[in-house]
Amino acid sequence: MGAYIFRRLLLIIPTLLGIMAINFALIQFVPGGPIEQIISNLENGSDTFDLLGGSSADAGINNADDQDIGSYRGRRGLPDDFIEDLERQFGFDKPPLTRFWNMVKSYAVFDFGDSYFRSISVRDLILEKMPVSISLGLWSTLIAYLIAIPLGIKKAVRDGSRFDTWSTAILVAAYAIPTFLFAVMLVILFAGGSFLQIFPLRGLTSDNFAELSLIGKIGDYFWHLALPILAMGIGSFTTLALLTKNSFMDEIRKQYVITARAKGLPEKRILYGHVFRNAMLIIIAGFPAIFISVFFGSSLLIETIFSLDGLGRLGFEAVLTRDYPIIFGTLYFFTLLGLLVKILSDITYVWIDPRIDFGNRQS
């Protein structure tokens, strides 16, 4: 197993390189890069130097020069030396292959560079926004597993009963509701939209969070997360519950279960001592996809609706402003996390069923 994990870790390197190379190549053909946006802002009379995180003086341009630039915005264009200076500032004066190689070397040591328009390093930005996304993804996935798996087992045991029929109808109806629409409905019903105002509408903590006791901080934290977690977990919860039921139904019909019942073993021992281990393998197989989809799939909409400043909004705003360091930095982080979660899933496979040996399987 150790050799298998080592090979999988080595495989992460070419996978990351391939994904980054494809996206870097695509970016070269996307119109409206950062320099084009700055030129457009200047021609429209916007204060672009605020976007760059500085002032006119910081850029080496005084008020007179700024007025001079404003006198021919949209009529005579911008001077060539000014545009060349912008290209040097953003590193676009170098060939694409050189820029890509420099990016790869920096990313190898988790140096994602600085944001074009925020005057802060991308690594600090990711660390700043990460608690929101981790909170949403981690608790949504954990709660989905804790509720959906027992529910799926109960549905399998009581297959065809009234409980199974009604619970399936409720799960399918919940799954059919789009995540963002369900989130808006929660806001209207419980966050002061039109009815009750039980939960807060924005932020991860209250303004007086630092003044609260430890118990108060924990309660305030989950008070703010209750609605976002419920909105994000509804889709994965439904899928996981039905998947658990179908997996247990397949195992219950197998010959070893019939044999165990014929020997007089208690039903609970058959269900949790034999069926559970085999049926849970397919659930574990879907863990990376469920975790990644909950972590990142709906984060943008949920963060926007509940005014949470996480990685989803960060990546979306970077795409709009063509902030390439943030785009590539978040892409690198998301990809690396997904690959590591997949390896963790394989390790959990072996932990639950020691008969599985990835190290000795034939390719």
Side-chain angles (χ1 to χ4, degrees):
M1 187 62 182
Y4 170 76
I5 295 175
F6 181 72
R7 290 196 301 269
R8 289 293 302 274
L9 291 174
L10 289 180
L11 189 61
I12 289 179
I13 299 175
T15 304
L16 281 174
L17 284 175
I19 293 175
M20 299 303 296
I22 292 173
N23 284 274
F24 184 86
L26 291 175
I27 285 293
Q28 309 308 310
F29 300 99
V30 175
I35 293 181
E36 287 82 357
Q37 292 207 14
I38 291 175
I39 294 174
S40 175
N41 288 331
L42 285 173
E43 291 176 346
N44 292 329
S46 301
D47 190 358
T48 305
F49 296 105
D50 288 341
L51 292 175
L52 292 171
S55 62
S56 300
D58 295 333
I61 300 176
N62 56 29
N63 291 336
D65 294 334
D66 187 54
Q67 293 174 359
D68 183 61
I69 289 177
S71 65
Y72 56 77
R73 286 174 185 163
R75 291 186 297 156
R76 291 182 292 173
L78 296 171
D80 293 337
D81 57 346
F82 178 75
I83 296 177
E84 291 175 358
D85 184 64
L86 282 178
E87 291 178 346
R88 286 193 297 270
Q89 180 180 352
F90 289 106
F92 294 133
D93 57 324
K94 301 180 178 63
L97 288 179
T98 302
R99 286 189 281 121
F100 178 72
W101 175 242
N102 291 336
M103 183 181 71
V104 169
K105 290 191 297 183
S106 299
Y107 281 24
V109 293
F110 294 95
D111 179 10
F112 304 132
D114 296 331
S115 169
Y116 286 161
F117 306 119
R118 293 175 180 253
S119 298
I120 187 175
S121 70
V122 176
R123 181 169 55 188
D124 291 341
L125 268 176
I126 292 177
L127 293 176
E128 178 185 331
K129 312 299 183 184
M130 194 183 300
V132 174
S133 297
I134 288 181
S135 296
L136 292 175
L138 177 63
W139 293 114
S140 297
T141 305
L142 181 61
I143 292 176
Y145 267 78
L146 290 178
I147 298 177
I149 290 179
L151 177 61
I153 295 174
K154 188 172 183 179
K155 286 173 62 63
V157 174
R158 302 178 61 178
D159 181 48
S161 65
R162 181 175 299 179
F163 168 80
D164 180 44
T165 302
W166 281 104
S167 60
T168 300
I170 294 174
L171 289 174
V172 172
Y175 183 76
I177 302 175
T179 302
F180 73 92
L181 185 60
F182 188 69
V184 171
M185 182 179 67
L186 291 177
V187 170
I188 294 174
L189 293 177
F190 303 111
S194 299
F195 295 91
L196 303 176
Q197 191 170 3
I198 301 176
F199 298 96
L201 183 57
R202 62 179 63 247
L204 194 61
T205 57
S206 300
D207 295 335
N208 63 336
F209 182 78
E211 303 172 1
L212 300 176
S213 63
L214 178 60
I215 301 299
K217 289 181 179 179
I218 295 175
D220 182 75
Y221 172 74
F222 284 105
W223 183 46
H224 283 75
L225 281 177
L227 296 186
I229 287 176
L230 182 59
M232 288 189 68
I234 191 68
S236 58
F237 170 82
T238 301
T239 303
L240 188 59
L242 295 178
L243 181 63
T244 302
K245 177 197 172 181
N246 294 334
S247 178
F248 270 78
M249 289 294 298
D250 290 340
E251 291 296 324
I252 288 174
R253 296 191 184 102
K254 290 185 177 179
Q255 184 62 43
Y256 74 90
V257 175
I258 299 175
T259 303
R261 285 173 175 167
K263 292 181 177 180
L265 292 179
E267 192 68 23
K268 286 188 176 180
R269 182 177 177 184
I270 296 174
L271 187 62
Y272 294 101
H274 300 278
V275 175
F276 184 83
R277 173 179 294 181
N278 296 324
M280 285 300 295
L281 291 176
I282 191 173
I283 310 301
I284 296 172
F287 173 77
I290 293 176
F291 179 79
I292 296 300
S293 64
V294 171
F295 200 177
F296 304 117
S298 304
S299 59
L300 170 60
L301 295 174
I302 298 301
E303 289 172 10
T304 301
I305 293 172
F306 292 99
S307 300
L308 297 171
D309 195 9
L311 291 174
R313 290 183 65 182
L314 176 66
F316 177 70
E317 293 171 358
V319 171
L320 292 181
T321 59
R322 302 298 193 271
D323 201 335
Y324 293 158
I326 295 181
I327 294 175
F328 288 118
T330 52
L331 174 67
Y332 182 88
F333 173 75
F334 292 167
T335 305
L336 180 61
L337 180 63
L339 294 173
L340 292 176
V341 169
K342 180 61 178 175
I343 296 176
L344 179 62
S345 174
D346 291 343
I347 296 175
T348 311
Y349 256 130
V350 178
W351 176 62
I352 289 184
D353 191 349
R355 295 173 299 175
I356 299 176
D357 189 357
F358 290 105
N360 294 330
R361 73 177 179 181
Q362 299 296 323
S363 58

